[in-house]
Structures are given as C-alpha cells and as structure tokens.
C-alpha cells in the first residue's frame, strides 16, 4: 500500500461509539477542507439509498459532492463507474438485503474491472459489518460511515487514481459540516436537518452508535436554509432529527428550544412545515401550544410509542409511561383540533408477555392512531437489548404483529374516513404510481390523495374535494376554482 493512501484505514468501534464527549460542536466548511478538482469528468455515479430520511438527506449531500466533482448521475448499473450503497442498520433484514445487493452487484466488477463499489451510511459504523465486508466482500473498494461524508472527494481521488481500497469509519465525530453542496430529490418539498445523532440509547436501537452524539445545527443556519428554499420555490420542508424535541439541548451559548425554532420558522414564507421524529418524553407544552397556532405548521405528528406496557417501556429505556403518553396524546387532541397522530411500535421485545402485548393493543385503541410502522424486535449486536433473555417464539411474535396490524389498519381507514366529502389542501407531488393520468399528493394531515388533473399542477397546493375513501388513500375531485 502506498504511503500516500494508507492513512485511509480506520475501522469503527461500537464501544467507542457509546462514549459521549462534552466538546462543543465544530462548524466546518467543505471548501476549506478539500481542494475540489474535476475528477469526475466523463464518469457516471449511481447512489442507492436505504433507511430513513436521515439517509435520504445524506444521499442528497453525496449527490451534491459527486456533481461538484464533475460526475454525472446514471440509473444504469452497467454504465456506472462508481456505485455507492448508502445503508441502514436498523434491523437485521435491512442489513441482509444490502449484503444481497452487494452479491448481485459483483457481476459488474467482472464486466467493468474499473468499477468502484462503495458502502456508506449506518452499516459501516458497526465493526462486525466492516469485518464481514473485509473478509467476504473483498471486491468492495470504498467503505465510509455517517461522520465523514465530507471526505468523499478525498476518498474518490484515492480509489480512482490510487487504486487503493479506502476504509475509513469514525466512531466519535461530533462535528457539523455546513455548506456542503446538495442535489435535492424533489423540487417542491425538502428535508432540512435540524440536528444530527442521538443520545437517547433506547436499549434496542443501533442509531446512537451509528449516528453519534446528538448535536443541533444553529437556528441561524436552519432559518437561512428554509428562507433559501422559499426563494427556490419550495412549498414544504420536513425538519429532521432522531428526537426533534430535544433540539437545542446541546447549546452552551444560548437557550433555544424546538418550540422556539418552530415559532421562528412559522414566520418564514414556507407554506408547509413538518417534522420527524418526536419523542414523547421531550414533547413539551410549549411545542403543543405553538402547533396549536397552526398556520404553516402541519397538523400531523409522528409520535413513536414503541410499546403500551410500562414494564417493556422501562426495559426499552424510553423514560415515559403508557399513562403519560396517553395524557400527551390527549393534550395534543385538545389543543390541535383534527390533529393526526401516527406512531412506531415494536412487538416481541425481549420479555414481552401476552399481557404486555395486550397493553399495547389497548393503547393503540385509546390513542386513535391514524397510522403506524410496526416491527418485530431485531437484536442489534452491541445494544443492551441484544443480551436480554427472549423466550417468545418467532411464531408468537408474528401473530402479535398480525393482530396489531389489523388494529392499525382500522386506524388508517378511520383517519381517512373523516375527510369524506370534505375539501382538503393537497401539495401535488406528481402522477400516481399506478395510473399516469391521475395526480397524487399529500393533504395537510399527510393523507395520500389521488385525483384527475393536469400535470402543470405539480408543485402547487390545490383544493380537492374527497369523494371516495380507501384504507391507504383518498380519491377526490379538483376544485377548479382554486
Ligand atoms: N428516532 C426515531 C426513529 C428511530 S428508527 C424514534 O425514536 O422513534 C425507526 C423505528 O424503528 C423506531 O421507532 C423503532 O420502532 C424501530 N426500531 C428501532 N430499532 C429496532 C430494532 N432493533 N428492532 C425492531 N425495530 C426497531
Ligand atoms: Fe433510536 Fe431511541 Fe434514538 Fe429513536 S430516540 S433513534 S429509537 S435511540
Ligand atoms: Fe437506518 Fe441509520 Fe436511519 S440505521 S433508520 S439509516 S439512522
């Protein structure tokens, strides 16, 4: 290995990733970090994105970097000079899918020996994954994690010209890099990171290890980004964080919370503001009060509950109870009329009994959810819950999931039914997946609406009268007077 490049060999450590340092966040600028050259001229890149909106936002940054370096995007695998998988580690099946993809992509290495194959995102943050990649996937050329996307230009240079493998994954980076270029996937709705990382350490979850210490972007940077998006014609932003309600907790020089941020963003001309994900333990009264003033703050709140059993919630380290969750839901419904609440639920957490599961079902009935992502617990190596005793059979877990889903689906339908014969505002996304003659978009309550209309309406907010209600979507007619 040449001396110039062997600096790029650093493996992650789950143990190190658990540590939290109290250093303040450093703000860097890409332009100061690298000397961008036109190394991508005439070359094509393909980026495959898995996982949450956090990864989607990171991929937009990677695309921005690629195109700044002169690379062109392609969707044709056989044409690509570089393929990067931006991966997710949240559950075992998510990881297995990606290992499967890597196996499939090997064929292109044979037809194009110069192809660079890269693995980025959350999976490389796990030492077990990096070891497996090194051992069983020797044809992967580039491995980097979530903390060093800004070093992509240097890695590409090494992989392309140095023909060296690059493996560099940091476990404890606490930086925020501002001013990275971005190529956004949508023209009318955008993700805006308000914070990175997670300090919650729910006992089942790998995210605090793969994303590092919680760090909030400065209000100024966020507000500027939203104003810039308004100028570019964007109609909707989704504020991103693993626990948006703890936004600002890491500021040492000011006292500024999530509700302050919502108040300031409400004053911008952004038509719609959404946010995800909320944590029930930190969702405070001020936030409920700001949301109650509505305007451009959308009445849909995704509030993961995970379980309805206090015993299980405690073992999960969620730091709230069934009762306090329901009280929060009640307060939201009282102050924000028509609010739509959705959630995440895990079944089959180690030690979950039939009675615990019944508590979850009971909570789902009481909380009036209009949607939920439901999962079977997946043990993640290095997390505390992976070591908990688990006596429930997979068969029982699957049955619980099915029972739960029936209840959840009834909630989807009930949530849609309340809009029958009502007129709703829809931000038109594009044409429907199943029928190109039909437009599709989302209402303020985040309900999918299909209706006939001209493609020129894409990107606009229009009024649609709901004429038919299904479990997964609403059908309507365009109100021509809007
Ligand atoms: N920060 C968010 C989202 C985390 S990941 C939150 O706190 O809710 C999205 C969802 O994946 C979680 O809400 C949880 O329901 C699920 N999840 C996380 N780890 C999991 C695991 N090990 N097994 C099964 N589901 C998991
Ligand atoms: Fe995971 Fe909990 Fe953090 Fe959400 S809040 S990312 S579930 S540790
Ligand atoms: Fe997956 Fe990482 Fe997001 S593990 S859910 S891509 S933070």
């Amino acid at each position: 290995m040449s001396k110039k490049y062997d600096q790029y060999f650093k493996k992650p450590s789950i143990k190190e990733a658990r540590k939290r340092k109290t250093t303040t966040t450093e703000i860097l600028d890409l332009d100061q970090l690298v000397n961008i050259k036109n190394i991508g001229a005439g070359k094509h890149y393909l980026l495959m994105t898995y996982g949450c909106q956090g990864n989607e936002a990171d991929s937009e940054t990677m695309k921005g970097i690629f195109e700044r370096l002169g690379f062109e995007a392609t969707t044709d695998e056989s044409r690509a000079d570089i393929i990067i998988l931006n991966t997710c580690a949240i559950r075992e099946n998510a990881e297995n899918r990606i290992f499967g993809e890597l196996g499939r992509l090997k064929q292109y290495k044979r037809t194009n020996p110069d192809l660079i194959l890269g693995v980025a995102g959350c999976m490389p943050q796990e030492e077990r994954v990096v070891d497996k990649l090194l051992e069983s996937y020797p044809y992967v050329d580039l491995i980097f994690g979530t903390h060093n996307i800004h070093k992509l230009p240097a890695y590409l240079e090494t992989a392309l010209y140095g023909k060296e493998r690059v493996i560099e994954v940091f476990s404890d980076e606490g930086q925020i890099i501002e001013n990275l270029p971005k190529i956004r996937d949508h023209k009318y709705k955008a993700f805006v990171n308000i914070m990175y990382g997670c300090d919650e350490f729910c006992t089942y979850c790998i995210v605090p290890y793969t994303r590092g210490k919680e760090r909030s972007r400065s209000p100024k940077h966020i507000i500027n980004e939203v104003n810039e998006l308004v100028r570019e014609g964007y109609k909707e932003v989704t504020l991103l964080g693993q626990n948006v309600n703890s936004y600002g907790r890491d500021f040492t020089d000011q006292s500024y919370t999530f509700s302050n941020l919502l108040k300031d963003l409400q004053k911008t001309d952004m038509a719609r503001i959404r946010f995800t994900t909320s944590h029930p333990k930190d969702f405070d009264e001020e936030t409920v009060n700001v949301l109650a003033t509505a305007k451009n703050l959308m009445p849909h709140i995704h509030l993961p509950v995970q379980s309805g059993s206090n015993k299980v919630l405690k073992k999960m380290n969620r730091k709230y109870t069934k009762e306090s969750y329901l009280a929060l839901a009640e307060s939201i419904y009282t102050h924000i009329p028509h609010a739509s609440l959705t959630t995440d639920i895990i079944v089959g957490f180690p030690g979950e009994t039939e009675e615990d599961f019944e508590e979850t079902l009971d909570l789902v009935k009481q909380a009036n959810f209009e949607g939920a992502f439901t999962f079977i617990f997946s043990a993640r190596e290095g997390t505390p819950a992976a070591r908990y005793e688990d006596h429930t059979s997979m068969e029982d877990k699957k049955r619980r999931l099915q029972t739960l889903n029936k209840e959840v689906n009834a909630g989807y339908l009930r949530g849609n039914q309340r809009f029958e014969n009502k007129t709703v505002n829809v931000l038109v996304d594009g044409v429907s997946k199943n029928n190109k003659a039909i437009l599709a978009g989302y209402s303020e309550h985040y309900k999918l609406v299909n209706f006939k209309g001209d493609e020129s309406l894409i990107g606009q907010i229009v009024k649609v009268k709901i004429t038919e209600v299904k479990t997964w979507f609403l059908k309507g007619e365009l109100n021509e007077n809007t």
Side-chain angles (χ1 to χ4, degrees), residues 50-51 85-89 92-105 119-120 123 133 137:
Y50 305 85
L85 277 64
N86 191 9
T87 63
C88 172
E92 198 183 345
N93 55 8
E95 292 201 348
N96 288 343
R97 231 176 104 202
I98 285 153
F99 282 122
E101 272 298 275
L102 281 175
R104 191 183 64 77
L105 290 168
V119 179
M123 274 170 70
L133 288 173
Y137 298 81

Side-chain angles (χ1 to χ4, degrees), residues 50-55 87-90 122 206-207 210-211 242:
Y50 305 85
C52 65
Q53 292 101 327
N55 259 15
T87 63
C88 172
I90 200 80
C122 285
I206 194 78
V207 173
T210 65
R211 292 277 168 179
Q242 294 299 342

Side-chain angles (χ1 to χ4, degrees), residues 78-143:
S78 62
R79 213 173 152 214
D81 299 285
I82 171 153
I83 300 179
I84 291 191
L85 277 64
N86 191 9
T87 63
C88 172
I90 200 80
R91 282 169 292 274
E92 198 183 345
N93 55 8
E95 292 201 348
N96 288 343
R97 231 176 104 202
I98 285 153
F99 282 122
E101 272 298 275
L102 281 175
R104 191 183 64 77
L105 290 168
K106 189 178 179 183
Q107 57 177 306
Y108 296 108
K109 284 290 246 187
R110 279 193 288 268
T111 47
N112 174 12
D114 289 333
L115 170 70
I116 290 170
L117 192 55
V119 179
C122 285
M123 274 170 70
Q125 295 295 145
E126 300 171 280
E127 48 198 297
R128 176 182 53 83
V129 168
V130 172
D131 287 340
K132 183 166 168 176
L133 288 173
L134 288 173
E135 210 180 291
S136 310
Y137 298 81
Y139 54 91
V140 171
D141 311 276
L142 176 56
I143 302 172

Side-chain angles (χ1 to χ4, degrees), residues 70 137 343 346 399 406 434:
Y137 298 81
T343 200
I346 297 175
R399 187 184 37 75
K406 253 190 223 149
N434 308 318

Side-chain angles (χ1 to χ4, degrees), residues 321-391:
T321 61
K322 180 186 185 186
E323 293 73 26
S324 68
Y325 183 93
L326 286 170
L328 172 61
E330 190 54 43
S331 160
I332 290 172
Y333 289 135
T334 308
H335 291 88
I336 311 160
H338 316 298
S340 168
L341 218 59
T342 56
T343 200
D344 291 351
I345 298 167
I346 297 175
V347 299
F349 186 79
E352 182 191 70
T353 62
E354 219 41 54
E355 291 73 41
D356 293 320
F357 175 64
E358 289 295 329
E359 294 280 357
T360 300
L361 275 184
D362 179 60
L363 179 138
V364 169
K365 283 180 189 143
Q366 289 196 54
N368 255 311
F369 293 126
E370 297 190 348
F373 296 116
T374 56
F375 311 99
I376 290 178
F377 168 76
S378 170
R380 311 311 294 132
E381 198 178 303
T383 65
R387 298 188 301 270
Y388 295 169
E389 270 186 61
D390 187 1
H391 298 297

Side-chain angles (χ1 to χ4, degrees), residues 222-242:
I222 297 168
I223 296 165
N224 285 348
E225 186 173 342
V226 171
N227 280 324
E228 180 60 32
L229 288 165
V230 170
R231 277 193 290 278
E232 290 170 15
Y234 280 82
K235 298 277 166 49
E236 180 176 299
V237 291
T238 302
L239 312 176
L240 295 183
Q242 294 299 342

